[in-house]
Amino acid sequence: MSPLPTVNCGVSNMPVVGLGTFKSGVDEVGAAVEEAIRCGYRHLDCAMIYGNEKEVGVALAKLFKEGVVKREELFINSKLWNTYHRKEEVVVGCDKTLSDLQLDYLDLYLIHWPVATQPNMGTLNPEDENNVPILDSASPSLTETWEAMEQLVRDGKCRNIGLSNFNKKQVEEILEFSSRTGGIKPACLQVESHPYLPNLELAKFCQKNDIAFVAFRPLGKSYFPTFGHFCF
């Protein structure tokens, strides 16, 4: 099978088609990953909140051991969850994902949502008695979280860093911060984009600023899943 075409994503080349692992159960995601890699997929989209990164890691380890594919032939991304936005928690979240995926580094690590919820409550979805999400009492700013993401790159834990579910104003805030501080600009923005919600203005903005624009649900959706009150 011919390699899939790629697009520039920071310092890496990202295959234009990837396998999403959202909604893949722990008893089926491993087989899906194995079959996808054997069929030619080289881009995997993961996230801590999906609850299946350990199973993805087992499948990857098997494929590496059998010589089906080498680590450097894959583009693997994951996402920082909302309870890990504090500066000191960012590396904790990344290390957990690396451990679960059995990897030494990620090709791309995204801030999953531009919102921070209370950490260290024994759940990824802290809620009060009325089922309302509990926001982080420390109120870490987006730039504080981004600065810690930049350190992950310097430490070799990630090749590239980016954003997910951010709007134009929020992306601009990160761009301004990274430009002013001489830091790392976002390599990628992942948002919902399909014929019914193309997000064309955001796509053009990303193109203008040399940010890879990645669409999830590119064929649309028939449901609107939530994690607590936070959507995918």
Side-chain angles (χ1 to χ4, degrees), residues 9 12-15 18-19 21 33 37 41-47 53 56-57 59-61 63-64 69-79 97-98 101-110 157-160:
C9 180
S12 303
N13 292 317
M14 176 174 64
L19 176 73
T21 56
V33 168
I37 297 300
Y41 277 78
R42 293 296 181 264
H43 178 179
L44 297 179
D45 180 78
C46 309
E53 288 193 323
V56 173
L60 289 173
L63 291 166
F64 296 152
V69 69
K70 298 177 181 178
R71 170 63 185 96
E72 58 268 24
E73 295 174 333
L74 298 181
F75 186 96
I76 302 173
N77 74 271
S78 186
K79 307 175 190 74
T97 280
L98 288 172
L101 292 175
Q102 301 186 45
L103 299 175
D104 296 324
Y105 69 91
L106 292 167
D107 295 280
L108 176 64
Y109 197 43
L110 309 174
K157 296 178 185 291
C158 310
R159 297 281 173 86
N160 305 279

Side-chain angles (χ1 to χ4, degrees), residues 17-115:
V17 177
L19 176 73
T21 56
F22 177 56
K23 296 291 286 184
S24 288
V26 295
D27 58 342
E28 60 187 6
V29 69
V33 168
E34 286 189 41
E35 186 64 21
I37 297 300
R38 294 180 191 278
C39 287
Y41 277 78
R42 293 296 181 264
H43 178 179
L44 297 179
D45 180 78
C46 309
M48 178 187 289
I49 193 62
Y50 299 168
N52 56 17
E53 288 193 323
K54 285 187 177 180
E55 289 72 23
V56 173
V58 170
L60 289 173
K62 178 182 177 182
L63 291 166
F64 296 152
K65 183 177 181 180
E66 293 178 355
V68 175
V69 69
K70 298 177 181 178
R71 170 63 185 96
E72 58 268 24
E73 295 174 333
L74 298 181
F75 186 96
I76 302 173
N77 74 271
S78 186
K79 307 175 190 74
L80 179 80
W81 187 237
N82 304 341
T83 50
Y84 291 87
H85 275 222
R86 295 183 185 182
K87 189 172 184 178
E88 67 275 12
E89 293 290 335
V90 171
V91 66
V92 177
C94 183
D95 283 347
K96 172 87 167 62
T97 280
L98 288 172
S99 175
D100 287 348
L101 292 175
Q102 301 186 45
L103 299 175
D104 296 324
Y105 69 91
L106 292 167
D107 295 280
L108 176 64
Y109 197 43
L110 309 174
I111 300 178
H112 205 152
W113 283 95
V115 61

Side-chain angles (χ1 to χ4, degrees), residues 184-196:
I184 302 170
K185 66 177 289 187
C188 170
L189 173 66
Q190 184 182 119
V191 296
E192 182 174 353
S193 180
H194 48 72
Y196 293 103

Side-chain angles (χ1 to χ4, degrees), residues 57-230:
V58 170
L60 289 173
K62 178 182 177 182
L63 291 166
F64 296 152
K65 183 177 181 180
E66 293 178 355
V68 175
V69 69
K70 298 177 181 178
R71 170 63 185 96
E72 58 268 24
E73 295 174 333
L74 298 181
F75 186 96
I76 302 173
N77 74 271
S78 186
K79 307 175 190 74
L80 179 80
W81 187 237
N82 304 341
T83 50
Y84 291 87
H85 275 222
R86 295 183 185 182
K87 189 172 184 178
E88 67 275 12
E89 293 290 335
V90 171
V91 66
V92 177
C94 183
D95 283 347
K96 172 87 167 62
T97 280
L98 288 172
S99 175
D100 287 348
L101 292 175
Q102 301 186 45
L103 299 175
D104 296 324
Y105 69 91
L106 292 167
D107 295 280
L108 176 64
Y109 197 43
L110 309 174
I111 300 178
H112 205 152
W113 283 95
V115 61
T117 53
Q118 190 67 22
N120 305 316
M121 294 189 67
T123 176
L124 294 179
N125 288 302
E127 297 179 338
D128 63 18
E129 62 275 9
N130 297 312
N131 297 319
V132 176
I134 301 174
L135 298 182
D136 192 334
S137 58
S139 300
S141 66
L142 294 178
T143 55
E144 175 185 332
T145 304
W146 186 255
E147 190 172 24
M149 294 281 284
E150 292 176 329
Q151 189 59 46
L152 297 177
V153 177
R154 299 185 186 102
D155 292 341
K157 296 178 185 291
C158 310
R159 297 281 173 86
N160 305 279
I161 49 178
L163 310 168
S164 172
N165 300 303
F166 277 51
N167 62 33
K168 180 181 176 182
K169 183 177 180 180
Q170 292 161 339
V171 177
E172 286 177 330
E173 180 181 351
I174 300 300
L175 282 173
E176 189 280 329
F177 174 78
S178 61
S179 176
R180 173 167 47 84
T181 60
I184 302 170
K185 66 177 289 187
C188 170
L189 173 66
Q190 184 182 119
V191 296
E192 182 174 353
S193 180
H194 48 72
Y196 293 103
L197 182 63
N199 262 318
L200 292 180
E201 181 181 353
L202 197 53
K204 292 177 181 177
F205 173 79
C206 287
Q207 184 179 32
K208 179 181 177 181
N209 287 277
D210 196 27
I211 298 172
F213 182 83
V214 174
F216 66 78
R217 297 199 189 105
L219 301 179
K221 66 177 184 290
S222 59
Y223 60 92
F224 202 75
T226 63
F227 294 109
H229 286 256
F230 292 105

